[in-house]
Amino acid sequence: MTYKETLDWMFVQLPMYQEKGKAVFNAKLDNIKLLAAHLNNPEDKIKTIHVAGTNGKGSSSHMLSSILQEAGYKVGLYTSPHLKDFRERIRINGIPIDQGFVVDFIAKHLTFFKEHKMSFFEMSVGMALAYFANETVDIAVIEVGLGGRLDATNIVNPEVALITNIGFDHMDLLGNSLHEIAGEKGGIIKENTPVIISEYQTEIAPIFERIAEDKNAKLLFAEKIVTTKVKTDLLGEYQYKNIKGVLAVLEQLRGFNINDKHIENGLARVVKNTGLLGRWQVLQKKPKVVCDTAHNVEGLTLVLNQIQKQGYNKLHFVLGFVKDKNLAKILPLFPKDAHYYFCKPNIPRGLEVGELKSKALVQELQGEEYLSVNQALISAKKMATKNDFIFVGGSNFVVAEIV
């Protein structure tokens, strides 16, 4: 198979959660353990940092990778989802995995994948771990895909674990309360392994404390112990919470030589070093056009607060969502005095634009429907003056169509 045919097979024959939703959420680790054994357990051959959380885990993972790169290490980075190309998920020092490795890996293990009905995510995790072991990375930063306890990445035995923030997302899978969701995220805490919690949340801190005590794991709340004035090229004041967690992780990471200059340069060059897309990404200056992949209440609240701090005449939102979002909680966050350009991300899980517009009208959000994200953005740019502000978001998949 060609690279494209290989990806088509991975996406279509074994649909990933992001495309199909709950129907393919595989809530057990049996399959990934089977695959790891088949691959001669690459997870045991590399050092890792494991990162979970509702918001901030992607940015934090990229920050960690960038700092470790600045310190001279060969750093693997596994994240999800991708925006443009599958290879964004698996990088070493910012360079995406070779197309040839992707093609060869799937071809070599195709019979095994079919026989055991491996999910897209299990194959991706297996591929990443095999690639990092094959390339003998010094360390790999592994971002959890969904939840933690039952996520396919949870076969790693990290040097340090990081949990960034707990909020309401994927409640159909992880639970309807912060306590339940925290329990799932806390499932990445391992025996005798330090764990950092970026943000102290009074309601759920005891859950992490209990899990850590059961596992004899050192637990630290970064917000309480780290003060920082270090800046990052990832825009948005909300990144300071992530930075505190990252610095606390590095303090607990043994056997690596990381100094203040590595940290300063690493945080200043995250995008350059890792190729990160879609985090308060400025696409244009006049009018200012910004996109962000925030897609739940907590993430969107942070981004909307950041928007309010911008100087502009009029505010425009190019907005689309996936079907499983609780819009009754999300839409009231948005300002009523902005103009809206409603669209549907071009995936099966995309929320129909007519349904989005009708739900938005209930919240007094005024705007028009568009057939695509790009058409909505083109119209917003035509309507906006040079001193206006245009925001594009609501879903990873909306951002993916314009970056």
Side-chain angles (χ1 to χ4, degrees):
M1 291 189 287
T2 64
Y3 175 66
K4 183 181 183 303
E5 288 167 344
T6 299
L7 291 189
D8 287 346
W9 182 82
M10 290 176 74
F11 291 145
V12 178
Q13 185 161 330
L14 298 174
M16 56 180 174
Y17 167 75
Q18 283 92 336
E19 289 285 346
K20 295 288 185 176
K22 189 176 181 180
V24 297
F25 181 64
N26 188 10
K28 60 183 185 298
L29 296 180
D30 298 355
N31 252 19
I32 188 63
K33 287 178 179 176
L34 198 65
L35 175 56
H38 174 73
L39 298 172
N40 298 317
N41 296 104
E43 75 280 8
D44 294 337
K45 296 169 186 171
I46 54 174
K47 292 183 176 182
T48 58
I49 298 170
H50 202 193
V51 185
T54 305
N55 297 290
K57 66 181 187 291
S59 295
S60 298
S61 296
H62 285 79
M63 287 179 191
L64 283 164
S65 180
S66 182
I67 292 167
L68 286 159
Q69 285 173 233
E70 289 288 341
Y73 295 104
K74 188 176 185 179
V75 187
L77 177 61
Y78 176 79
T79 58
S80 62
H82 63 272
L83 290 181
K84 284 295 187 187
D85 181 1
F86 170 81
R87 298 185 307 136
E88 293 168 32
R89 295 170 179 251
I90 305 169
R91 298 173 180 265
I92 294 176
N93 285 9
I95 300 169
I97 185 172
D98 297 334
Q99 286 190 7
F101 191 96
V102 176
V103 172
D104 292 346
F105 181 83
I106 296 298
K108 183 178 179 181
H109 305 289
L110 190 62
T111 303
F112 182 89
F113 293 149
K114 288 180 176 178
E115 182 183 344
H116 296 284
K117 295 183 171 62
M118 289 284 157
S119 73
F120 171 90
F121 199 74
E122 287 158 351
M123 290 189 291
S124 302
V125 170
M127 183 189 299
L129 295 172
Y131 185 62
F132 296 151
N134 187 67
E135 295 293 320
T136 58
V137 298
D138 295 311
I139 194 163
V141 181
I142 308 292
E143 181 197 6
V144 166
L146 182 62
R149 182 176 65 94
L150 296 170
D151 187 74
T153 64
N154 205 24
I155 58 168
V156 300
N157 289 296
E159 307 298 299
V160 190
L162 171 64
I163 301 174
T164 57
N165 155 286
I166 304 301
F168 291 106
D169 203 9
H170 302 302
M171 287 146 60
D172 54 332
L173 307 173
L174 303 179
N176 290 312
S177 71
L178 282 184
H179 284 79
E180 288 178 286
I181 296 169
E184 289 297 316
K185 308 279 187 189
I188 73 164
I189 299 173
K190 302 292 195 306
E191 294 280 347
N192 303 306
T193 302
V195 57
I196 306 300
I197 313 296
S198 291
E199 191 177 332
Y200 187 87
Q201 294 169 268
T202 307
E203 182 183 345
I204 54 177
I207 292 169
F208 295 133
E209 290 167 341
R210 189 192 71 244
I211 297 172
E213 188 177 350
D214 289 346
K215 301 277 189 182
N216 194 33
K218 182 179 181 181
L219 175 72
L220 296 165
F221 292 97
E223 199 169 58
K224 293 194 164 189
I225 61 169
V226 177
T227 56
T228 180
K229 293 181 179 177
V230 188
K231 293 183 178 178
T232 176
D233 61 338
L234 301 187
L235 302 178
E237 291 178 18
Y238 55 84
Q239 293 295 358
Y240 280 101
K241 290 181 180 179
N242 295 330
I243 290 172
K244 288 183 176 184
V246 164
L247 295 182
V249 166
L250 295 172
E251 284 177 11
Q252 294 302 311
L253 186 62
R254 301 292 172 252
F256 289 80
N257 181 21
I258 300 159
N259 62 35
D260 290 346
K261 198 65 181 173
H262 299 146
I263 291 169
E264 183 183 333
N265 290 343
L267 289 175
R269 300 170 183 164
V270 177
V271 174
K272 177 175 178 283
N273 286 345
T274 68
L276 177 63
L277 300 170
R279 304 302 198 285
W280 195 265
Q281 186 174 345
V282 179
L283 302 173
Q284 184 179 309
K285 294 279 179 73
K286 293 193 173 190
K288 193 168 187 179
V289 181
V290 171
C291 67
D292 197 287
T293 54
H295 55 273
N296 53 43
V297 169
E298 291 77 15
L300 284 166
T301 298
L302 291 169
V303 167
L304 289 166
N305 286 341
Q306 187 74 21
I307 290 172
Q308 292 306 316
K309 293 172 182 175
Q310 308 301 308
Y312 53 79
N313 286 344
K314 189 168 174 57
L315 192 53
H316 306 257
F317 284 92
V318 175
L319 214 54
F321 294 93
V322 291
K323 291 173 185 172
D324 56 12
K325 288 300 164 193
N326 186 346
L327 294 186
K329 285 190 174 182
I330 288 174
L331 290 176
L333 302 173
F334 286 86
K336 294 179 173 57
D337 58 351
H339 194 84
Y340 291 84
Y341 306 77
F342 302 113
C343 53
K344 174 192 171 185
N346 188 26
I347 57 162
R349 259 178 79 217
L351 178 69
E352 292 300 331
V353 67
E355 186 179 344
L356 172 56
K357 184 181 177 183
S358 64
K359 288 184 175 180
L361 280 172
V362 172
Q363 303 297 335
E364 300 176 45
L365 306 181
Q366 304 290 330
E368 295 80 39
E369 300 176 26
Y370 294 88
L371 293 175
S372 72
V373 175
N374 274 293
Q375 283 188 12
L377 179 56
I378 288 166
S379 184
K381 286 180 179 179
K382 282 181 181 174
M383 290 276 288
T385 65
K386 67 177 184 179
N387 294 319
D388 286 359
F389 186 96
I390 301 172
F391 178 80
V392 185
S395 164
N396 282 300
F397 301 102
V398 169
V399 174
E401 291 184 40
I402 54 100
V403 294

